Amino acid sequence: MDSDDDSDFESREGFVGSEDDSDEERSAFSDEDDTTFSDIMRAVHQNYTLILNGSGEENWIQNMSNGDWEQLGRGSSNNSTLDTVRFYEGALNDHKMRHLFRGLSRSSAIKEMKLYDNGFSVLGVRSMVPFLQNANNLKALDLGSNNLQSEGFNMLIRALRNSPIERLTCCNCSIASIQIDTEHIPQHLTYLNLNSNIIDADGCRGLVELLQREDSTLSSLCLNNNTIDDEGVAILVDALQNNTSLTALGLLDNDGISRDGKILLLKLVNDISSIKATLQSNHTLKYIYISTGEPSDLNQKIQTNVEMATDINGKNQYSTEAAGREKVLRTQLHSGTRAVLCRLQDVNHSVHREINPLHLPEVLSLIGRHHGQEELYVALSSSIMTLFSTVNMKKSIQQERAYHAAKVEELDAKLAAMEGSAAGNEGYNDINHRSSKRRRKWWGLWGGA
């Protein structure tokens, strides 16, 4: 498998199937009945990996004292070669966590810690905080199948603010609401797995901070099997409009996502409303995992076109401009594909209206080279009709403008005539006024005689 295949495999973790590898893990002490605490401490100092399974016949784990757990933590903290710690299936609880992390308050060696399926709560997370703040080489943390709830997860995110953590898994932890502020975001986080929680639209609002910040590093977000609906999808889509880091988004088994929500995701990666909108779509997402729902032609078309857009993104992962151009060529400039996308996204206008007539020869040449003569004929016919329609519309507007200009001239003439008539009437009234005054004066003279 080459490096590209390795990258693709990595991006699929947590999205399809399960990444739980507990079946392959074995305790460092096998199933020996005579294991002692001294054996545990000797293993801590001699091994790169410390694995404790709380199930099966290893009951000696359950019998460890508070002091034993603290000593185990201190030994792990002081070990400069121990890079992996895995305690799972009931090896821990809140009480044991308090004593373990009283000793394990820091580490410069541990890179991976898996504490899944232990049932501890926010109290256990609180015990971990000093370690999380002082583990300067911790890259991966798995706390799946514990009762963290929202309070525990939010506390965890704050504690990891200055951590080198890259991968965080909190599956099946009863997380609903999420509160993340810009000052408490892990600066190197690339993978976040929140599958099988109870995250809804409000939880999606909390995740927006991880997606919208300018220097976002998150490349994989797993939200399978939650309670996300179309409103939650709309929130995520809005946050991803300008995001250039996320390459994989998992939304499988969220029954509240309807066809409308799926069309929002399609529009995110290929907005067919205009050529400009297509060029400004998200060109970073390479994988969108979403349940297809009931078998239907429409659902299949949505899925097919989402996959087409994300495949184009993957093919052009080093150039978003190239991805945008290929989407325009394969969807906007292909009559059949564009017709399907227009119906799905409720768009009803010709793409050729957007093309400058001076560029039509070049565009038609592209269509002919990439889609063949049949598509060239369709494009040529459509562009000519659009051009004629534009010319006819222009002529109609010119005629209408000329008509209104003539009407304006006619009205101006009538107004001038009315103003002239009014001026004549004012002169006539003035003459009559002076004549009347002379008659009154003449009559007065006679009357005085």
Side-chain angles (χ1 to χ4, degrees):
M1 182 178 289
D2 59 28
S3 58
D4 289 339
D5 290 336
D6 288 339
S7 175
D8 287 347
F9 177 79
E10 182 80 4
S11 69
R12 286 183 171 89
E13 281 192 20
F15 294 96
V16 289
S18 171
E19 66 168 348
D20 185 358
D21 56 358
S22 60
D23 290 340
E24 299 178 2
E25 296 177 348
R26 294 292 181 267
S27 168
F29 315 107
S30 186
D31 291 328
E32 298 175 6
D33 293 333
D34 57 350
T35 300
T36 66
F37 182 69
S38 298
D39 295 325
I40 298 175
M41 294 307 301
R42 186 162 48 252
V44 169
H45 294 292
Q46 294 177 352
N47 289 276
Y48 295 101
T49 300
L50 174 61
I51 301 175
L52 296 181
N53 184 345
S55 65
E57 299 178 3
E58 299 171 354
N59 294 325
W60 46 268
I61 296 177
Q62 309 302 338
N63 296 327
M64 287 173 57
S65 68
N66 296 340
D68 290 342
W69 281 108
E70 186 171 341
Q71 186 178 348
L72 176 61
R74 191 176 298 110
S76 301
S77 180
N78 295 330
N79 190 326
S80 61
T81 60
L82 182 66
D83 62 13
T84 302
V85 173
R86 302 184 185 184
F87 297 167
Y88 59 95
E89 294 186 8
L92 293 171
N93 55 33
D94 287 332
H95 181 77
K96 294 174 182 177
M97 293 272 285
R98 180 158 61 91
H99 293 282
L100 173 67
F101 285 100
R102 183 176 291 171
L104 181 55
S105 60
R106 64 178 60 249
S107 172
S108 60
I110 296 175
K111 297 179 180 179
E112 178 184 64
M113 177 172 282
K114 289 192 172 187
L115 306 180
Y116 55 84
D117 197 14
N118 286 295
F120 58 79
S121 69
V122 62
L123 297 177
V125 176
R126 184 173 288 116
S127 299
M128 292 182 68
V129 168
F131 167 76
L132 297 175
Q133 293 175 334
N134 295 284
N136 55 26
N137 208 20
L138 184 66
K139 299 297 178 65
L141 178 63
D142 184 349
L143 301 183
S145 296
N146 291 292
N147 191 29
L148 306 186
Q149 301 188 10
S150 299
E151 183 183 359
F153 178 75
N154 295 331
M155 181 184 296
L156 183 65
I157 288 292
R158 289 193 295 272
L160 292 170
R161 173 180 53 180
N162 297 316
S163 166
I165 194 76
E166 296 175 357
R167 298 174 60 84
L168 177 60
T169 299
C170 294
C171 301
N172 191 29
C173 291
S174 301
I175 299 168
S177 62
I178 295 173
Q179 296 177 355
I180 300 174
D181 61 71
T182 54
E183 296 181 358
H184 297 89
I185 295 178
Q187 300 299 307
H188 306 283
L189 188 65
T190 61
Y191 175 92
L192 178 59
N193 190 333
L194 296 173
N195 289 342
S196 302
N197 284 290
I198 48 177
I199 297 169
D200 57 10
D202 287 336
C204 290
R205 287 189 184 91
L207 291 170
V208 164
E209 292 294 339
L210 289 176
L211 301 171
Q212 283 190 331
R213 67 190 182 101
E214 187 175 349
D215 55 348
S216 176
T217 57
L218 193 66
S219 60
S220 298
L221 177 59
C222 312
L223 296 171
N224 298 329
N225 193 27
N226 277 278
T227 58
I228 298 171
D229 57 10
D230 291 345
E231 182 184 0
V233 170
I235 292 167
L236 295 174
V237 164
D238 184 64
L240 289 170
Q241 292 290 344
N242 299 309
N243 178 281
T244 57
S245 67
L246 199 73
T247 60
L249 174 64
L251 290 169
L252 292 166
D253 300 322
N254 283 278
D255 296 336
I257 300 177
S258 72
R259 187 175 295 163
D260 291 340
K262 296 170 188 176
I263 290 175
L264 286 175
L265 291 166
L266 170 59
K267 194 171 182 179
L268 170 67
V269 290
N270 191 4
D271 187 340
I272 203 69
S273 62
S274 69
I275 291 177
K276 182 179 180 180
T278 298
L279 291 172
Q280 292 178 344
S281 299
N282 181 294
H283 305 312
T284 305
L285 276 165
K286 296 192 291 183
Y287 307 101
I288 297 178
Y289 299 98
I290 189 165
S291 302
T292 55
E294 295 181 2
S296 71
D297 183 56
L298 193 57
N299 282 337
Q300 186 57 50
K301 285 178 179 177
I302 295 172
Q303 184 72 19
T304 298
N305 283 282
V306 167
E307 290 176 357
M308 177 195 294
T310 52
D311 285 347
I312 291 173
N313 290 350
K315 177 183 175 183
N316 299 279
Q317 60 182 322
Y318 301 113
S319 174
T320 56
E321 291 183 1
R325 288 194 299 268
E326 185 171 346
K327 287 177 186 177
V328 169
L329 180 60
R330 290 180 58 182
T331 61
Q332 290 281 12
L333 300 182
H334 187 281
S335 61
T337 303
R338 186 176 188 277
V340 171
L341 286 167
C342 284
R343 285 194 293 271
L344 292 173
Q345 299 183 28
D346 196 24
V347 174
N348 185 25
H349 66 80
S350 171
V351 68
H352 298 286
R353 290 183 180 180
E354 304 175 45
I355 301 172
N356 188 318
L358 295 177
H359 297 156
L360 271 178
E362 182 181 355
V363 172
L364 293 172
S365 176
L366 276 173
I367 294 172
R369 289 201 308 271
H370 290 274
H371 300 311
Q373 296 299 312
E374 185 175 348
E375 274 298 314
L376 176 60
Y377 174 77
V378 172
L380 185 60
S381 301
S382 180
S383 60
I384 289 175
M385 293 300 295
T386 301
L387 187 59
F388 283 167
S389 175
T390 302
V391 171
N392 291 337
M393 183 179 295
K394 181 178 180 181
K395 185 176 180 180
S396 174
I397 293 172
Q398 290 173 338
Q399 289 173 344
E400 186 175 0
R401 184 178 64 180
Y403 167 77
H404 287 296
K407 292 294 291 183
V408 169
E409 291 181 2
E410 180 183 345
L411 292 172
D412 283 343
K414 287 182 179 181
L415 185 60
M418 291 174 66
E419 290 174 347
S421 176
N425 289 336
E426 289 176 0
Y428 176 77
N429 291 336
D430 186 55
I431 293 171
N432 286 342
H433 178 68
R434 288 196 297 269
S435 299
S436 177
K437 287 179 66 177
R438 284 195 296 268
R439 286 195 297 273
R440 287 196 299 272
K441 182 178 180 181
W442 176 79
W443 180 256
L445 290 173
W446 277 99

